[in-house]
Amino acid sequence: MEIAICDDEKQVCEWLKNKIQKRYPNAVIYCYQTGQELIEYDWTTYPDILFLDIQMPQINGIELAQSLRKKGWKTSIIFVTAYTDYVFDAFDVRAFHYLVKPVLEEKLDVVLDSAIKQVESFHIVDNNTMQQGEKVIVVKSGGVYISIRSAEIMYAEVFNRKVIVHTTSECIEYYGKLRELESSLGIDFYRPHRAYLVHFKYVTKYDNRVIYIGKEQVMMAKQNYAGFVKEYMAYMKRESSNYQSSANAK
């Protein structure tokens, strides 16, 4: 596991490095105090995780992240900054998290653990590359901003004004509306019941009362059954067409 830290405050770099090494002693950690130093380093492969300050001399963190994305870096970027004004800019570069200084050690541990799980999942599933056309959503949970790949969302549910997103590796809760999530994710997801949103990719079987997502069961509203079947068949047709196109390309 390779982790880079880029912050013009030396004490912040040292603090992050010490806390990360304490939790993950086998991680290889690089520290830089300017974006230029980071870019000029002779990387054979990009680091798995990058802790990146925003307000830095020469090139700020947002500009640096944009440059790295253009170079093909799929690194999980975690912004660490004293300013909250750049949250939506962070979305544009597919930031994994956005932590506000001073960072609590407990919060850092949670974010770091989550980022490492995502990195490991990327390596297992697709060799650390994003699927073509894949969407990424960003939600605020527990005071931090979390980036979630749509391909990893199995289903979502709403409970007590909270949306609970069930991914292949964890459950993420945030205050929001299920219809807004539905709108963001697109046609590969369907709302079979007012309290649930399912990803067709993970549907294993269904009837007019329940949908099975692996070992989990999601309720089906009777009035939505016909619509679900129609959209699921359309999804299967799309997947078959995509597979055929890929096979022909080879």
Side-chain angles (χ1 to χ4, degrees):
M1 180 68 62
E2 292 189 333
I3 300 174
I5 302 168
C6 187
D7 195 304
D8 63 329
E9 296 182 69
K10 187 175 181 179
Q11 64 270 31
V12 172
C13 288
E14 291 299 321
W15 185 85
L16 285 171
K17 181 178 179 180
N18 291 336
K19 298 304 179 184
I20 294 169
Q21 284 186 327
K22 176 183 175 183
R23 195 162 186 85
Y24 292 94
N26 294 326
V28 178
I29 304 174
Y30 306 88
C31 290
Y32 306 91
Q33 288 186 257
T34 69
Q36 201 63 36
E37 290 179 12
L38 176 68
I39 292 175
E40 290 177 353
Y41 182 80
D42 185 20
W43 296 98
T44 53
T45 59
Y46 50 78
D48 298 292
I49 298 170
L50 170 61
F51 286 86
L52 182 58
D53 187 19
I54 291 181
Q55 291 287 359
M56 295 188 296
Q58 300 177 5
I59 179 172
N60 69 42
I62 297 296
E63 293 169 340
L64 177 60
Q66 291 171 341
S67 176
L68 297 177
R69 291 301 190 214
K70 288 178 181 178
K71 291 177 181 292
W73 283 37
K74 303 298 191 297
T75 299
S76 293
I77 297 175
I78 301 170
F79 284 111
V80 185
T81 178
Y83 303 90
T84 59
D85 300 343
Y86 298 93
V87 170
F88 293 102
D89 293 314
F91 293 174
D92 293 337
V93 293
R94 304 193 305 277
F96 180 77
H97 273 283
Y98 189 105
L99 296 178
V100 179
K101 298 176 182 177
V103 180
L104 297 177
E105 183 174 352
E106 295 81 1
K107 186 68 69 176
L108 173 65
D109 289 345
V110 171
V111 171
L112 181 59
D113 290 348
S114 182
I116 286 178
K117 283 182 181 178
Q118 185 191 66
V119 168
E120 291 173 345
S121 175
F122 281 11
H123 282 303
I124 292 170
V125 174
D126 57 11
N127 197 29
N128 207 25
T129 59
M130 297 285 284
Q131 298 178 11
Q132 184 177 6
E134 181 181 337
K135 296 182 178 180
V136 176
I137 64 167
V138 180
V139 301
K140 185 178 181 181
S141 176
V144 297
Y145 291 87
I146 304 176
S147 176
I148 310 173
R149 298 171 63 200
S150 63
E152 295 182 341
I153 298 175
M154 301 174 70
Y155 71 97
E157 60 182 311
V158 62
F159 183 75
N160 282 347
R161 298 189 298 115
K162 277 189 175 183
V163 174
I164 306 171
V165 179
H166 298 258
T167 76
T168 54
S169 60
E170 61 182 328
C171 293
I172 299 167
E173 298 183 4
Y174 69 96
Y175 287 101
K177 297 179 180 179
L178 201 58
R179 67 172 178 268
E180 293 177 354
L181 179 62
E182 178 185 13
S183 177
S184 298
L185 292 174
I187 60 175
D188 288 349
F189 290 77
Y190 189 81
R191 192 99 171 260
H193 185 278
R194 62 182 178 82
Y196 293 97
L197 177 68
V198 301
H199 193 168
F200 288 131
K201 175 182 177 180
Y202 295 100
V203 172
T204 53
K205 58 182 178 178
Y206 62 87
D207 56 34
N208 62 358
R209 295 177 297 110
V210 66
I211 299 169
Y212 291 84
I213 309 290
K215 296 181 180 180
E216 301 291 328
Q217 296 184 24
V218 171
M219 287 189 292
M220 172 88 78
K222 288 185 178 181
Q223 66 270 23
N224 293 337
Y225 179 64
F228 172 84
V229 173
K230 178 182 177 181
E231 295 302 323
Y232 184 60
M233 291 300 105
Y235 167 80
M236 295 298 288
K237 185 177 180 179
R238 288 196 303 274
E239 288 298 293
S240 177
S241 176
N242 291 339
Y243 175 80
Q244 191 62 46
S245 297
S246 177
N248 291 338
K250 295 178 181 179

